[in-house]
């Protein structure tokens, strides 16, 4: 005789658990089991929250560290070039820093010879001077044989224009004539403040036995902004070097220098301190002022010309071109605006310039780093491309100087 045997524990047998034959009942969680599940889920949720929170904190700390490294690098680079630490605004203006830090504030010491990085949520005041605007109150070094002041590195040249990327083909419109239209823009004379309204000073703020450091200040008392400056400083037999300027020459009486392009502008009614400098020679004292005069500069706009010329071998639908600015005046220019003719069948693009386009021309203006053209010289500060048919090698497109400064 065959059969099946089922073992039943005593705890499972109760009057309530006895089911009629053929009847089934769905199993459910007891209260204790439900509480256990809730506890396990709570533990898992706590672990996840703390893991995510730790990751966020680490990411924030990494960003703060990277920002600190960037600031310190920019500050030290500026100090090497100019001999003092600047504010964040100056770092941004000189291109060493892309934008002010959102995580750190730079607190520069009164003598601009040291700095402190303060988190933005700190209670330490964050408004500081960009460079020393008065004489330091610290005592002069007591050493009697300080080394001769070495010249600070000269301002680096603006980046050279790189080769233009290949221009894509312009739409081949069939209805327009191929003749170019000469821009109708007329030359705008440059407005500059009267020479007597612009003054300068060169004051020693640190001196020792064999030389010292000094700061150049320029005061614009006129009602038009200055876009370039040249100063003449009486050297008294000493050697003078300006860190952020272009040396124009020295004779038996004067040291002459001009702006470096990026520090040329002085707004009406404002005083700027565009650069510091060094003086080598004995007999200097703190607060001593060396005679400084501003050399009047007036750009003759009629002697500044431009050209936009095809370079290299054209292809069937376009060509590369170069913009050239020729300054035959007796004064350097620090900014320029030109208009280049276009037509319905030809499109012009200009790189390394700020541009606007209308029906007959493309107007291009210099950027902060490529506006300088020295007196009596030519420069190729920008390049571009021409799209359209019938372009010939060496072809020059009509170009007119709109304004210079």
């Amino acid at each position: 005789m065959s059969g099946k045997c089922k073992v039943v524990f005593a705890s499972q047998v109760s009057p309530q658990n006895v089911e009629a034959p053929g009847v089934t009942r769905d199993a459910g969680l007891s209260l204790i089991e439900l509480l256990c599940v809730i506890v396990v889920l709570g533990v898992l949720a706590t672990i996840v929250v703390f893991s995510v929170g730790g990751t966020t904190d680490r990411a924030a700390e990494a960003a703060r560290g990277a920002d600190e490294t960037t600031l310190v690098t920019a500050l030290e680079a500026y100090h090497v070039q100019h001999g003092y630490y600047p504010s964040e605004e100056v770092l941004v203006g000189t291109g060493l820093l892309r934008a002010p830090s959102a995580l750190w504030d730079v607190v520069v010491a009164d003598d601009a010879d040291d700095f402190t990085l303060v988190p933005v949520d700190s209670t330490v005041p964050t408004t500081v001077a960009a460079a020393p605007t008065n004489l330091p109150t610290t005592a002069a070094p007591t050493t009697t044989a300080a080394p001769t002041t070495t010249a600070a590195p000269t301002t680096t040249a603006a980046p050279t224009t790189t080769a233009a990327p290949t221009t894509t083909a312009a739409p081949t419109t069939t209805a327009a004539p191929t003749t170019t239209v000469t821009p109708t823009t007329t030359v705008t004379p440059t407005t500059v403040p009267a020479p007597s309204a612009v003054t300068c000073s060169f004051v020693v703020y640190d001196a020792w036995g064999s030389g010292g450091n000094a700061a150049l200040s320029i005061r614009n008392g006129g009602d038009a902004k200055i876009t370039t400056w040249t100063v003449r400083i009486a050297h008294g037999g000493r050697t003078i070097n300006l860190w952020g300027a272009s040396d124009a020459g020295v004779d038996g009486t004067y040291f002459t220098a001009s702006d470096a392009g990026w520090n040329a502008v002085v707004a009406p009614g404002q005083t700027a301190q565009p650069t510091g400098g060094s003086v080598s020679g004995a007999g200097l004292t703190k607060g001593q002022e060396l005679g400084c005069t501003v050399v009047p500069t007036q750009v003759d706009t009629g002697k500044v010309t431009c050209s936009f010329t095809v370079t290299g071998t054209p292809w069937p639908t376009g060509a590369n071109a170069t913009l050239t600015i020729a300054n035959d005046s007796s004064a350097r220019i620090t900014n320029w605006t030109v208009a280049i003719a276009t037509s319905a069948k030809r499109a012009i693009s200009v790189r390394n310039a700020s541009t606007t386009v209308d029906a007959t021309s493309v107007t291009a203006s210099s950027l902060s780093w490529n506006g300088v053209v020295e007196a009596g010289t030519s420069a190729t500060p920008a390049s571009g491309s021409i799209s359209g048919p019938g372009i010939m090698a060496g072809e020059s497109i009509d170009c007119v100087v709109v304004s210079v400064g």
Side-chain angles (χ1 to χ4, degrees):
M1 178 175 136
S2 63
K4 295 182 179 179
C5 178
K6 181 178 181 181
V7 178
V8 179
F9 293 96
S11 62
Q12 294 179 288
V13 180
S14 68
Q16 292 80 6
N17 291 335
V18 178
E19 301 288 350
V23 177
T24 61
R25 182 168 62 90
D26 294 334
L29 295 176
S30 66
L31 179 60
I32 294 177
E33 290 171 331
L34 184 59
L35 291 175
C36 289
V37 170
I38 293 172
V39 170
V40 171
L41 291 176
V43 171
L44 292 176
T46 302
I47 294 173
V48 170
V49 168
F50 278 99
S51 296
V52 173
T55 301
T56 303
D57 292 342
R58 288 191 296 273
E61 187 62 31
R64 187 180 293 273
D67 218 31
E68 179 184 11
T69 301
T70 300
L71 274 174
V72 170
T73 301
L75 285 161
E76 294 297 342
Y78 191 97
H79 187 272
V80 168
Q81 294 180 7
H82 303 285
Y84 61 88
Y85 292 104
S87 65
E88 286 185 81
E89 289 75 13
V90 173
L91 291 176
V92 173
T94 56
L96 291 173
L97 196 65
R98 180 173 297 178
S101 172
L103 301 176
W104 298 94
D105 285 319
V106 179
V107 179
V108 181
D110 290 340
D111 60 358
D113 199 37
D114 198 4
F115 68 91
T116 304
L117 296 184
V118 180
V120 293
D121 54 356
S122 172
T123 57
V124 177
T126 59
T127 302
V128 296
T133 56
N134 52 12
L135 301 178
T137 57
T138 56
T142 56
T143 54
T144 58
T148 303
T149 306
T150 56
T154 57
T155 306
T156 55
T160 55
T161 305
T162 55
T166 303
T167 306
T168 56
T172 56
T173 310
T174 57
T178 58
T179 21
T180 59
V181 179
T182 303
T184 56
T185 310
T186 57
V187 176
T188 303
T190 303
T191 303
V192 297
S196 60
V198 183
T199 58
C200 66
S201 63
F202 192 63
V203 180
V204 176
Y205 63 83
D206 189 17
W208 50 85
S210 59
N213 292 324
L216 174 68
S217 297
I218 296 179
R219 168 69 181 171
N220 181 5
D223 55 3
K225 74 176 180 179
I226 298 171
T227 59
T228 183
W229 49 260
T230 299
V231 296
R232 200 161 43 208
I233 303 171
H235 54 68
R238 303 179 181 93
T239 300
I240 296 177
N241 177 56
L242 294 185
W243 300 322
S246 173
D247 294 353
V250 61
D251 57 25
T253 306
Y254 297 105
F255 166 79
T256 305
S258 301
D259 61 87
W262 55 266
N263 59 354
V265 175
V266 183
Q270 299 296 313
T271 298
Q273 192 177 80
T275 183
S278 61
V279 184
S280 297
L284 291 175
T285 59
K286 281 188 177 182
Q288 181 176 350
E289 182 172 353
L290 305 184
C292 180
T293 56
V294 175
V295 179
T297 56
Q298 177 69 50
V299 179
D300 185 351
T301 54
K303 293 185 177 181
V304 181
T305 58
C306 65
S307 62
F308 194 68
T309 307
V310 173
T311 55
T313 303
W315 53 90
T317 57
N320 290 324
T322 299
L323 174 66
T324 301
I325 308 290
N327 179 13
D328 293 327
S329 72
S330 59
R332 75 200 303 250
I333 63 175
T334 60
N335 60 83
W336 46 261
T337 298
V338 300
I340 306 168
T342 61
S343 69
K345 294 188 68 175
R346 286 189 174 181
I348 301 289
S349 67
V350 182
R351 291 177 291 276
N352 297 326
S354 175
T355 60
T356 57
V357 180
D358 59 28
T360 61
S361 65
V362 174
T363 302
S365 300
S366 58
L367 303 177
S368 61
W369 53 268
N370 66 348
V372 174
V373 183
E374 298 292 345
T377 66
S378 295
T380 55
S383 62
S385 60
I386 309 170
S387 298
I391 301 171
M392 296 180 294
E395 181 179 353
S396 183
I397 310 301
D398 291 331
C399 181
V400 173
V401 175
V402 177
S403 66
V404 292

